Amino acid sequence: MPVEFLGIAATNDGSETGPRSGAAFDKEYTLRLARAHEDHGWDRVLFAYGSGSPDPAPAAAYIAARLDRLRILLAHRPNVSYPTYAAKTFATLDQISDGRLTVHFITGGNDHEQRREGDTLTKDERYARTREYIRIVKKIWTTHEPFDHEGEHYRFHDFVSDVFPVQQPRPGVSFGGSSPAAYAAGGAEADIYCLWGEPLERTAEQIAAVKAAAAAAGRSDVPRIQVAFRPIIAPTEELAWEKAHRTVDAIRARKERGEATTVRHHRRGAPENTGSQRLISIAEAGERYDRALWTPTAAATGGAGNSNALVGTPETVAQALLDYYDLGVDILSARGYDLLGDAIDFGRHVIPIVREEVAKRDAERAARGQQTLAAVR
């Protein structure tokens, strides 16, 4: 099966290891970073969402109108707009991008972060709302006659959109989470299910849970699986590990100085979301797993977001990613700490190795299929 690479569409150069050098929305840097992804073999970039961050939808439109091939993954929280409005926004962006949009729906795993924008629902209520929201958006994208909706969270009458996506029947829907409620919602509604990088055994367990949820929802297909990492690469293993320790020292130093970072999901204390709790538990159990997974970066951020690293030479990191591909992961998300430089290095040195090895695996699989078919005949 084909493999895809997802990068980050940051609107400034700040990261966990250093403050941004300019405004929160730096147009020149945003375009430069996106163009680096397009020019170095990446398939798509994520426009993330934060309560106080620049709005990702117009930022995505800005990039889509200036680049030709790079696809867009747009993060969206259902609490910030009514689904009728959001569906039109997404369809318009799919038109601007000539059909390069996928929407990543975020339920929200932290009560404090949700309340910053007036969302006071409980976590279970948020999951129910997200499922209803996604179904409404899908229907608006594909329905050309006015319809009514009377649901638990949304009610409207005689609505029909006058703008439709380029993609038919609709753009893709992406979803993530590590709790049973997340598996149930994403298993039922998602085209792509997103996970944070965990050890291979734990990732296999999560993939099985997503597949089971899809089957329980009556689906005959299953979501594609995406897994996210923070790669730390260098020409030699020794240099890569030196870089890894410098990276985590920089994260800790910023935290000790009380500096704000780009990750603001946790206010204080233990995280509320299951995904971050899992990352912390894994880090407490050990620093190194499998071929190259390293957990101190996750521990240093309190399990905030995509934070487990893959450390090593490009060859080592590529082989580690292939281990996940062999589990059934076909979308590999990667984001370094020097956003621009690491995107270029990863694109130059890791992506070609993975693509070449995946092509070999696919060719071998096709050959075995032909041999089996010939034996049956």
Side-chain angles (χ1 to χ4, degrees), residues 13-34:
D13 61 356
S15 80
E16 295 91 335
T17 59
R20 69 184 189 227
S21 61
F25 181 47
D26 181 334
K27 288 197 305 181
E28 288 72 23
Y29 183 85
T30 301
L31 180 57
R32 187 180 176 195
L33 179 61

Side-chain angles (χ1 to χ4, degrees), residues 47 54-62 74-75 89-90 93:
F47 284 84
D55 188 345
Y62 170 72
L74 178 70
T89 299
F90 303 147
L93 183 52

Side-chain angles (χ1 to χ4, degrees), residues 293-314:
L293 190 72
W294 195 55
T295 66
T297 47
T301 62
N306 169 25
S307 50
N308 268 339
L310 292 176
V311 182
T313 63

Side-chain angles (χ1 to χ4, degrees), residues 3 27 41 77 85 108 141 145-146 152 171 184 224 278 303 327 340:
V3 65
K27 288 197 305 181
R77 286 184 185 164
Y85 176 87
W141 281 340
E145 297 295 331
E152 180 182 358
R224 299 174 65 194
R278 288 174 65 99
L327 287 182
L340 180 60

Side-chain angles (χ1 to χ4, degrees), residues 36-118:
H37 283 86
E38 181 168 88
D39 290 346
H40 291 89
W42 298 79
D43 297 287
R44 70 182 79 202
V45 288
L46 167 66
F47 284 84
Y49 189 91
S51 59
S53 301
D55 188 345
Y62 170 72
I63 293 302
R66 286 160 177 79
L67 299 181
D68 299 322
R69 300 182 306 278
L70 193 67
R71 283 177 275 163
I72 293 164
L73 179 60
L74 178 70
H76 180 76
R77 286 184 185 164
N79 61 290
V80 300
S81 67
Y82 217 70
T84 51
Y85 176 87
K88 294 185 296 180
T89 299
F90 303 147
T92 303
L93 183 52
D94 200 53
Q95 291 282 344
I96 292 170
S97 67
D98 296 320
R100 288 178 280 150
L101 176 69
T102 298
V103 182
H104 180 67
F105 290 92
I106 302 173
T107 298
N110 181 273
D111 289 345
H112 177 71
E113 171 69 5
Q114 295 301 122
R115 288 170 183 161
R116 283 171 165 159
E117 294 186 285

Side-chain angles (χ1 to χ4, degrees), residues 267-285:
R267 189 183 187 188
R268 289 179 182 175
E272 299 170 12
N273 62 308
T274 304
S276 292
Q277 292 169 3
R278 288 174 65 99
L279 294 186
I280 291 172
S281 174
I282 290 165
E284 289 173 345

Side-chain angles (χ1 to χ4, degrees), residues 124-324:
D124 287 344
E125 290 170 337
R126 292 199 297 266
Y127 274 111
R129 178 182 62 191
T130 299
R131 293 182 70 164
E132 184 179 347
Y133 197 99
I134 293 173
R135 289 169 181 165
I136 292 169
V137 169
K138 286 179 179 178
K139 187 170 182 178
I140 292 170
W141 281 340
T142 57
T143 301
H144 291 258
E145 297 295 331
F147 69 96
D148 299 340
H149 179 82
E150 293 281 347
E152 180 182 358
H153 296 280
Y154 302 103
R155 294 180 177 87
F156 54 86
H157 304 282
D158 200 40
F159 181 82
V160 63
S161 178
D162 194 34
V163 56
F164 290 89
V166 170
Q167 297 176 78
Q168 294 299 314
R170 58 172 176 79
V173 167
S174 172
F175 190 88
S178 296
S179 66
Y183 299 144
E189 300 296 339
D191 302 300
I192 298 170
Y193 199 97
C194 307
L195 302 169
W196 290 333
E198 296 187 0
L200 290 165
E201 182 178 1
R202 301 283 293 269
T203 300
E205 291 170 356
Q206 292 211 76
I207 292 173
V210 172
K211 290 181 176 179
R219 292 178 61 169
S220 58
D221 64 337
V222 295
R224 299 174 65 194
I225 302 297
Q226 172 186 304
V227 177
F229 302 96
R230 306 301 293 269
I232 300 174
I233 62 172
T236 69
E237 296 291 331
E238 181 180 8
L239 289 173
W241 284 104
E242 289 176 0
K243 183 178 177 181
H245 287 289
R246 288 197 306 273
T247 298
V248 81
D249 286 346
I251 295 171
R252 290 168 178 162
R254 291 200 73 197
K255 188 175 180 179
E256 289 172 1
R257 292 194 297 268
E259 294 181 6
T261 71
T262 58
V263 178
R264 298 186 178 90
H265 298 303
H266 309 324
R267 189 183 187 188
R268 289 179 182 175
E272 299 170 12
N273 62 308
T274 304
S276 292
Q277 292 169 3
R278 288 174 65 99
L279 294 186
I280 291 172
S281 174
I282 290 165
E284 289 173 345
E287 289 194 356
R288 296 180 66 170
Y289 291 85
D290 305 320
R291 195 186 299 265
L293 190 72
W294 195 55
T295 66
T297 47
T301 62
N306 169 25
S307 50
N308 268 339
L310 292 176
V311 182
T313 63
E315 293 77 11
T316 295
V317 170
Q319 291 301 321
L321 292 169
L322 287 162
D323 291 338
Y324 287 89

